[in-house]
Amino acid sequence: MLFSGTKISDLSKASIILILAGFLLVGGAVYFFTELAAEVLEQEKFVVDQAATDVVRSITTPWMDTFWGWTTDLGSVLFISIASVALLIFLLFFSPFSRWVGIYFAILMIGISSLTKLLKVTFERQRPEVLAEYDGTGFSFPSGHTTGSVVFYGFLIYLIVISPLRKPWKWTINIALGLLIALVGLSRVYLGVHFFTDVVGGTLFGLAWLLVCIAALEITIWNQRRRQSGSVQTLSKGKAERKQEKG
């Protein structure tokens, strides 16, 4: 069966609390931090955003337009959604990992999508430029391409870390994935559809949600292994007792 060996009892109270608290606190923290810091750091924020815009304008070339356009597609809703479905199918049906890995991956992606939309409509920050060609529509903060890339590619990094691959391969692949996350975020600034602070906020927000879900997953898997270990010990003890009775 698909979820053989996966029981609700493995989902400890700590895991549930981490998921719910993470969902509420990550969103709430970003909201209240931004509200609190708005008056204090408003001028600095605009200075940073303007500086990033000036840098982009100074290095704009046709070939870079093409490069950043392709790069930003790797963080688009369409690409991340298709890739997430493919990865979820792999995790549930073909991977050697616990089924909980697939379940938490689904929680991760659904959660970041919901939280990002919630924050966008909460802040209602207008984009520096509206470009439908590059998914540059709707509100600006935080960058959805950035949050999606951080949690999706970040979870791939986690899978590589816990995989049996040799260390040189792990380092090579994970450095490449980390670089890709950074490039997707920078592409949004280069294309002019996000402020630099949108990308920074999206990176921090996505990373916080990613770590919350991975922590909850690790607790759940540890609980599952402990239960399975206890079952094996009980079974072994029962066999030993039966042998003694026969003897």
Side-chain angles (χ1 to χ4, degrees):
M1 295 177 64
L2 176 59
F3 295 102
S4 177
T6 302
K7 296 185 177 182
I8 294 298
S9 59
D10 295 328
L11 194 61
S12 66
K13 291 182 179 180
S15 301
I16 297 173
I17 291 174
L18 274 173
I19 295 170
L20 297 178
F23 196 90
L24 295 174
L25 294 178
V26 171
V30 172
Y31 175 80
F32 288 112
F33 173 80
T34 305
E35 286 294 296
L36 180 64
E39 294 182 0
V40 178
L41 299 177
E42 185 176 12
Q43 294 302 317
E44 286 79 2
K45 179 186 65 175
F46 285 121
V47 167
V48 170
D49 290 336
Q50 187 59 53
T53 300
D54 292 341
V55 170
V56 167
R57 289 175 179 173
S58 68
I59 62 174
T60 299
T61 61
W63 76 264
M64 289 188 71
D65 292 347
T66 301
F67 170 77
W68 290 113
W70 288 346
T71 301
T72 206
D73 285 340
L74 296 177
S76 67
V77 174
L78 178 61
F79 181 83
I80 293 294
S81 297
I82 294 174
S84 295
V85 171
L87 180 57
L88 182 60
I89 291 173
F90 169 75
L91 292 174
L92 292 178
F93 294 96
F94 304 105
S95 80
F97 301 123
S98 165
R99 296 294 182 269
W100 282 114
V101 176
I103 294 172
Y104 273 96
F105 175 67
I107 293 172
L108 174 75
M109 299 310 298
I110 294 172
I112 197 62
S113 176
S114 302
L115 286 168
T116 300
K117 290 178 181 177
L118 176 62
L119 288 178
K120 282 180 178 290
V121 298
T122 298
F123 292 108
E124 296 185 346
R125 188 184 193 185
Q126 300 300 318
R127 292 177 183 270
E129 189 172 357
V130 177
L131 293 173
E133 178 184 359
Y134 299 116
D135 296 327
T137 58
F139 296 118
S140 188
F141 182 86
S143 166
H145 278 60
T146 303
T147 57
S149 297
V150 168
V151 296
F152 177 75
Y153 296 116
F155 197 80
L156 285 182
I157 290 174
Y158 165 73
L159 293 179
I160 296 297
V161 168
I162 64 175
S163 74
L165 286 174
R166 299 180 64 181
K167 284 188 177 180
W169 281 108
K170 288 184 178 182
W171 277 102
T172 301
I173 296 173
N174 285 342
I175 288 175
L177 289 172
L179 180 61
L180 178 58
I181 293 172
L183 289 176
V184 169
L186 292 175
S187 74
R188 307 307 287 166
V189 179
Y190 179 90
L191 296 171
V193 293
H194 275 292
F195 294 107
F196 180 73
T197 46
D198 294 335
V199 173
V200 173
T203 300
L204 296 175
F205 178 67
L207 183 60
W209 180 240
L210 173 67
L211 294 177
V212 165
C213 289
I214 289 178
L217 169 59
E218 285 292 326
I219 292 173
T220 301
I221 291 178
W222 175 81
N223 202 43
Q224 181 186 46
R225 289 172 178 168
R226 184 181 64 172
R227 174 179 59 82
Q228 292 174 343
S229 176
S231 298
V232 171
Q233 290 178 359
T234 301
L235 182 61
S236 299
K237 183 178 180 181
K239 288 182 177 179
E241 290 177 348
R242 286 194 294 272
K243 285 183 179 180
Q244 289 179 355
E245 291 175 357
K246 291 181 180 179

